[in-house]
Amino acid sequence: MNKVLVIGLGVIGASFSYALKRKNYYIYGVDKDSETIKYALNKGIINEGSIDIEEFLNKADIIILAVYPKDIYNILENYKFNKKQIVTDVSGVKEELVNIVNDLDLECKYVSIHPMAGREKSGIMYADASRFIGANFLIIPTNKTDDLAIEEMKKLAKALDFGNISIITADYHDKMIALTSQLPHALAVALVLANDDENTVDFIGDSYRDLTRIAMINHKLWQELFKENKNNLIKNIENLTKKLDNIKDCLKNDDYLQLEEMFKQSTIKRELMNKKKVAR
């Protein structure tokens, strides 16, 4: 299965294309922007390109939907895939998507994936063939997933040099992503917006820079992701608020021993993550 159609040549779709092409996959690229197609061809990111999905739809063995969640639904409902094809997506939320896929009358095999290798930059000009090296790769089966589809996704992940590969359910995926991805983005946005001092830039060090890097956010995409996973995210925001309140109470009550204990526990917990080889 060496012929891959990537629909959506943003930073993730283009990075998939670029990396897979280097591993001898034949890449068809589709994007609604003709200038993006021209860029992809000129930079050698894809072998062939078009703004028309139909042009390559029946030529590919694997189809990767690298578009916004609402656009995934539209494609699945309006295009016909054959029974030999494996269709996947790289959406950041899964439960609603998997439920929709399970209810659709699709002839193809469908298995969802999540490459945990996002960046704050968006657009094809930031495509990077080395983006996925060592990153976590999540596989989320649907009722249209078989063993072959799973094995092909594992093969794809290994070709891209991902690190840990996990197979999980859609609901568990969304619970964990709310904590490990969406909550940090919410925190970064809140931290930046909480600041109203125009001289902040003169005092920025690594801590502020690292914490707020992801506040440079693709606003349309992340609005969709937050919306589709809002219940899990709300729970995590509430838990975080409780911990911030604990720190605030320590300060108000001059309870510095308890504050020190919180710092100690957070250090221990983070060091344990390092021992388990936290993916970049």
Side-chain angles (χ1 to χ4, degrees), residues 4-204:
V4 177
L5 168 58
V6 179
I7 301 175
L9 295 176
V11 65
I12 294 297
S15 294
F16 260 89
S17 300
Y18 208 0
L20 288 172
K21 187 170 178 287
R22 288 188 172 188
K23 295 298 178 74
N24 297 318
Y25 284 79
Y26 193 89
I27 307 298
Y28 303 105
V30 169
D31 196 275
K32 60 185 178 182
D33 182 8
S34 60
E35 290 301 315
T36 295
I37 296 298
K38 290 179 183 177
Y39 183 94
L41 289 168
N42 289 336
K43 295 293 184 179
I45 294 173
I46 58 177
N47 295 100
E48 298 182 50
S50 176
I51 59 172
D52 183 7
I53 293 175
E54 293 282 4
E55 186 169 343
F56 305 128
L57 192 61
N58 294 316
K59 296 181 179 181
D61 304 307
I62 297 173
I63 299 170
I64 300 174
L65 305 177
V67 294
Y68 292 1
K70 63 181 177 60
D71 294 322
I72 294 174
Y73 308 144
N74 290 334
I75 290 171
L76 294 178
E77 290 173 353
N78 292 299
Y79 292 91
K80 188 173 179 62
F81 308 94
N82 67 59
K83 61 184 179 181
K84 293 182 179 180
Q85 291 176 317
I86 296 173
V87 180
T88 188
D89 68 86
V90 296
S91 175
V93 286
K94 299 300 185 184
E95 190 167 13
E96 183 174 345
L97 172 60
V98 167
N99 288 336
I100 289 173
V101 169
N102 288 343
D103 290 338
L104 288 174
D105 184 20
L106 298 174
E107 291 188 7
C108 62
K109 302 173 181 68
Y110 195 103
V111 55
S112 195
I113 60 174
H114 191 171
M116 298 299 295
R119 296 290 186 275
E120 70 275 14
K121 302 292 186 180
S122 60
I124 192 171
M125 67 287 299
Y126 296 106
D128 181 1
S130 64
R131 172 182 295 272
F132 307 112
I133 296 174
N136 288 323
F137 187 87
L138 309 179
I139 299 175
I140 302 89
T142 73
N143 64 9
K144 296 172 176 64
T145 302
D146 62 7
D147 290 342
L148 175 62
I150 294 289
E151 289 307 310
E152 285 298 325
M153 291 303 102
K154 288 181 178 179
K155 179 181 174 182
L156 184 147
K158 291 174 182 176
L160 296 174
D161 296 314
F162 276 91
N164 188 57
I165 300 173
S166 302
I167 302 175
I168 58 174
T169 63
D171 62 329
Y172 186 62
H173 169 277
D174 285 4
K175 287 177 183 177
M176 294 306 298
I177 291 304
L179 172 65
T180 64
S181 179
Q182 294 179 335
L183 183 62
H185 279 81
L187 179 59
V189 169
L191 182 56
V192 168
L193 295 180
N195 166 54
D196 57 4
D197 193 317
E198 61 184 18
N199 295 316
T200 298
V201 68
D202 297 327
F203 298 89
I204 287 177

